[in-house]
Amino acid sequence: MKTGMLKISPGFEDIMPPEYRELVDNGPYGKNYGIGDLGSYKELLEEHPLCAGCGLALSLRLTLASLPMPEDTVIVGSTGCSALAFPQVALHNIHSLFGNQNAVASGLKRALKLRFPDKEKDVVVIAGDGATADIGLDMVMQSWLRREKITTIMLDNEAYANTGGQESGMSMQGAVLNMAPTGKKFPKLSLPEIAQTCGCAYVAAASPAKPKQLAKVVRRAILVAREIGPTYVQLYSPCPTNYKFNPKETVSLIKQREKDGLYQSKEYISQEAKAFLESIEVKK
Amino acid sequence: MYLSVRVDKEKCIGCKICITSCPEPNVFIFLPEQKLVEVNESRCKACGLCTTVCAKEALKIG
Ligand SMILES: Cc1ncc(C[n+]2csc(CCOP(=O)(O)OP(=O)(O)O)c2C)c(N)n1
Ligand code: SF4
Ligand code: SF4
């Protein structure tokens, strides 16, 4: 995309909202900023209505700041808490029907390839665990089996948070939630392993407790999807509201879970993806 | 006055950990010359997450 398209028509500067002006003057388009630059530029996300201390909001913010080419990225979202933040994101984004996100993203990626054959356009799915691992799992897996060149990012808060706290396939066994008062009866689904089996060229599990690692895996996943095939990133993003912990403990809770062996960061890279990443990461 | 995080400028060393731990966009502003952070109070939801990650105890909700 030409970043000039973002410029405000002369004479209209004073009537544009201040947030928009700030984005035009001080936003990240075309500047190759990363999470290390946060705090020094206008972010892609504006004030959002997600709860105080929301782990998912933190993951989303860090993910947006890690996009290799935001001006040429389209995000496909799904219904859920993250969908409430997307109206505030200064990025092309599509709200799909709950669970349809990977089917929509597949069509979009193909259409963009036809429309802009000489230009890279990144299509990134960002959706909750219910949308990814339960209701949308069929379409998610089928997009991987078809080797669609898209990145799927799951914001894993281990619940259907936006509908008041049902258990999801990603909740831990025994997890007690508002609408699962006797505790979940089955273990947490291991989607990274499924992603790997279904042919994802790059798979990672990370969390916002290690922002640099999160940024690295998001970036790698998007670059590998561009060149090779489907990629999957799972971001553990605890929900203080439904899991009823103090909002200031979101990050310490992840660290505690890691210590207890209940959360593990992971990275799987196919041979082809490894060779590709080595070629671009050495060059830098 | 709303609750917001406050920075003790004497204690802050500008490590930026609070910036990458805040779930809200554009709350912390980094001041490169002074090597410390400033807060946009109107955007802070006072969750307190930053106060738990700051090793210098430079942040307080108030
Ligand atoms: C087809 C369809 N089924 C059900 C719903 C109701 N619904 C809205 S949000 C939601 C839960 C979302 O859970 P998840 O994907 O885990 O995201 P979270 O809210 O936890 O971030 C459900 C079931 C819907 N909107 N559309
Ligand atoms: S309900 Fe949970 S996941 Fe949803 S916005 Fe609130 S803290 Fe975040
Ligand atoms: S974490 Fe503490 S010391 Fe580091 S920049 Fe923030 S306020 Fe300053």
Side-chain angles (χ1 to χ4, degrees):
Chain A
M1 190 170 86
K2 288 197 191 77
T3 45
M5 279 172 73
L6 291 164
K7 295 266 176 328
I8 298 169
S9 298
F12 287 93
E13 292 87 354
D14 57 334
I15 59 162
M16 294 303 281
E19 293 80 7
Y20 193 93
R21 274 184 276 152
E22 207 193 333
L23 187 70
V24 173
D25 295 340
N26 193 23
Y29 289 112
K31 298 202 184 109
N32 205 14
Y33 286 150
I35 60 156
D37 303 298
L38 278 170
S40 60
Y41 67 94
K42 162 76 178 171
E43 293 179 41
L44 288 172
L45 187 58
E46 248 308 318
E47 287 169 85
H48 58 67
L50 307 189
C51 308
C54 172
L56 183 152
L58 177 53
S59 289
L60 182 62
R61 179 174 170 251
L62 295 173
T63 299
L64 294 175
S66 312
L67 297 173
M69 220 164 47
E71 60 277 25
D72 283 304
T73 303
V74 187
I75 304 283
V76 183
S78 190
T79 318
C81 286
S82 54
L84 302 179
F86 277 113
Q88 275 72 243
V89 173
L91 203 67
H92 290 296
N93 63 87
I94 293 177
H95 178 75
S96 74
L97 183 70
F98 189 55
N100 273 3
Q101 63 278 359
N102 280 56
V104 171
S106 303
L108 180 67
K109 179 71 193 189
R110 290 173 184 218
L112 288 170
K113 199 75 221 159
L114 289 171
R115 174 70 181 79
F116 303 98
D118 307 320
K119 185 112 194 64
E120 286 305 341
K121 295 274 176 188
D122 296 325
V123 175
V124 181
V125 172
I126 302 184
D129 48 302
T132 309
D134 288 348
I135 301 180
L137 183 61
D138 180 8
M139 280 170 277
V140 169
M141 280 175 60
Q142 292 300 332
S143 75
W144 293 341
L145 295 168
R146 289 194 308 270
R147 305 291 192 265
E148 304 287 352
K149 288 181 162 176
I150 56 177
T151 299
T152 304
I153 300 180
M154 178 208 280
L155 300 173
D156 179 17
N157 58 9
E158 304 191 315
Y160 289 61
N162 196 233
T163 37
Q166 294 84 1
E167 66 180 47
S168 85
M170 299 302 290
S171 309
M172 301 274 278
Q173 186 156 13
V176 173
L177 286 147
N178 287 343
M179 282 177 245
T182 60
K184 192 191 174 200
K185 305 284 184 284
F186 314 99
K188 181 174 172 116
L189 179 70
S190 188
L191 205 52
E193 275 71 21
I194 295 176
Q196 196 178 328
T197 312
C198 289
C200 284
Y202 179 87
V203 177
S207 84
K210 290 185 183 152
K212 280 193 192 137
Q213 186 186 57
L214 185 151
K216 188 172 157 190
V217 306
V218 165
R219 207 177 161 83
R220 282 184 160 182
I222 293 172
L223 295 175
V224 170
R226 232 187 245 174
E227 290 297 318
I228 297 167
T231 58
Y232 173 61
V233 174
Q234 185 167 306
L235 299 176
Y236 175 43
S237 311
C239 162
T241 304
N242 282 285
Y243 275 92
K244 300 181 175 61
F245 59 86
N246 192 320
K248 72 177 181 202
E249 282 158 12
T250 302
V251 168
S252 41
L253 187 126
I254 302 173
K255 290 183 178 157
Q256 190 55 49
R257 270 262 297 251
E258 195 164 9
K259 248 187 221 152
D260 297 343
L262 299 171
Y263 156 73
Q264 239 188 316
S265 62
K266 292 179 190 166
E267 191 172 42
Y268 158 77
I269 316 177
S270 73
Q271 286 305 328
E272 200 185 349
K274 204 173 273 169
F276 166 67
L277 286 173
E278 272 166 16
S279 74
I280 54 164
E281 287 178 357
V282 173
K283 262 190 224 154
K284 256 199 346 181
Chain B
M1 193 58 204
Y2 294 111
L3 278 180
S4 169
V5 69
R6 321 255 162 207
V7 187
D8 182 337
K9 296 198 166 171
E10 301 293 304
K11 291 183 180 170
C12 175
I13 54 158
C15 70
K16 303 213 260 181
I17 289 173
C18 52
I19 302 181
T20 48
S21 305
C22 175
E24 305 302 313
N26 302 300
V27 171
F28 286 100
I29 299 128
F30 183 62
L31 307 173
E33 259 111 70
Q34 291 107 302
K35 286 211 170 54
L36 46 82
V37 296
E38 194 179 73
V39 167
N40 182 345
E41 291 173 11
S42 67
R43 300 197 165 195
C44 176
K45 287 180 184 165
C47 69
L49 240 173
C50 56
T51 65
T52 64
V53 296
C54 175
K56 296 290 161 193
E57 297 185 357
L59 300 171
K60 278 206 166 50
I61 302 286

